[in-house]
C-alpha cells in the first residue's frame, strides 16, 4: 500500500487506540472520557463549552460524556455564579485517581511507540505533528 501521510497517521492512531482501549474499561471510564478527565486534571475546573471547544466536538456529545462521568463519580458540576446558565465541571478524587492510572498507561504507550527515537527526534516529531495540526486548522472550511 502507498505510504501516504494520511494513511500513516491513521494507522498510528488506530494502533495507539487499540493498545490503550483495554485500559479505559479497566479504569472505569467510557469511550472518549479519558481525554476529558485528563484535561480537567491538567487545567482544573472549567465549563462544558471549554471542553467542547478544546476537543473540537459537539457540546451535546460532551454533555453525554459528562453525564456518565458524573454518574460514575469521576466529576461534579456546580452552577457558575458568574453565569447561572452554565455549570463548572470539576474532578473528584476518584477522577484524579482515574487520570493518574490513565496517564501511566499513556506514558507506557508513548515509550513503546517512540522506542528507538532520540530525544531530538521526539521533539521534532512533536513539532511536526503540531505544525500539521495548525496547518489543517488554518485551512478548515
Amino acid at each position: 500500500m502507498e505510504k501516504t501521510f494520511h494513511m500513516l497517521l491513521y494507522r498510528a492512531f488506530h494502533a495507539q487506540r487499540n493498545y490503550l482501549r483495554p485500559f479505559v474499561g479497566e479504569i472505569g471510564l467510557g469511550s472518549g472520557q479519558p481525554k476529558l478527565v485528563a484535561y480537567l486534571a491538567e487545567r482544573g475546573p472549567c465549563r462544558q463549552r471549554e471542553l467542547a471547544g478544546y476537543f473540537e466536538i459537539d457540546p451535546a456529545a460532551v454533555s453525554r460524556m459528562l453525564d456518565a462521568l458524573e454518574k460514575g463519580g469521576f466529576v461534579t458540576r456546580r452552577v457558575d455564579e458568574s453565569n447561572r446558565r452554565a455549570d463548572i465541571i470539576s474532578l473528584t478524587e476518584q477522577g484524579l485517581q482515574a487520570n493518574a492510572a490513565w496517564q501511566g498507561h499513556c506514558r507506557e504507550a508513548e515509550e513503546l511507540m517512540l522506542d528507538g527515537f532520540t530525544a531530538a527526534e521526539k521533539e521534532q516529531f512533536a513539532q511536526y505533528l503540531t505544525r500539521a495540526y495548525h496547518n489543517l486548522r488554518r485551512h478548515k472550511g
Side-chain angles (χ1 to χ4, degrees), residues 62-123:
V62 172
S63 180
R64 287 188 298 274
M65 284 188 269
L66 291 173
D67 287 345
L69 285 169
E70 188 173 29
K71 284 179 187 171
F74 297 101
V75 300
T76 59
R77 300 182 203 210
R78 65 176 166 76
V79 173
D80 181 354
E81 295 302 323
S82 65
N83 178 358
R84 305 213 24 92
R85 292 181 293 168
D87 288 336
I88 299 293
I89 314 301
S90 302
L91 282 182
T92 63
E93 184 59 37
Q94 183 178 346
L96 290 168
Q97 291 172 4
N99 180 65
W102 178 249
Q103 293 307 317
H105 293 302
C106 289
R107 280 190 298 279
E108 183 179 290
E110 284 182 18
E111 287 174 20
L112 293 171
M113 179 174 59
L114 299 174
D115 184 39
F117 283 59
T118 66
E121 289 171 329
K122 291 175 186 178
E123 180 60 33

Side-chain angles (χ1 to χ4, degrees), residues 1 10 14 16 23-24 36 55 61-63 67 72 82 86 93 112-113 115 135 138:
M1 175 173 257
Y10 176 83
H14 281 281
Q16 176 188 357
F23 303 118
V24 175
L36 300 182
F55 290 109
V62 172
S63 180
D67 287 345
S82 65
E93 184 59 37
L112 293 171
M113 179 174 59
D115 184 39
N135 287 343
R138 186 172 56 245

Side-chain angles (χ1 to χ4, degrees), residues 42-72:
E42 184 177 320
R43 307 251 175 123
C46 70
R47 292 183 181 153
Q48 175 180 324
R49 181 171 299 234
E50 183 179 332
L51 290 166
Y54 182 81
F55 290 109
E56 301 174 13
I57 55 179
D58 181 52
V62 172
S63 180
R64 287 188 298 274
M65 284 188 269
L66 291 173
D67 287 345
L69 285 169
E70 188 173 29
K71 284 179 187 171

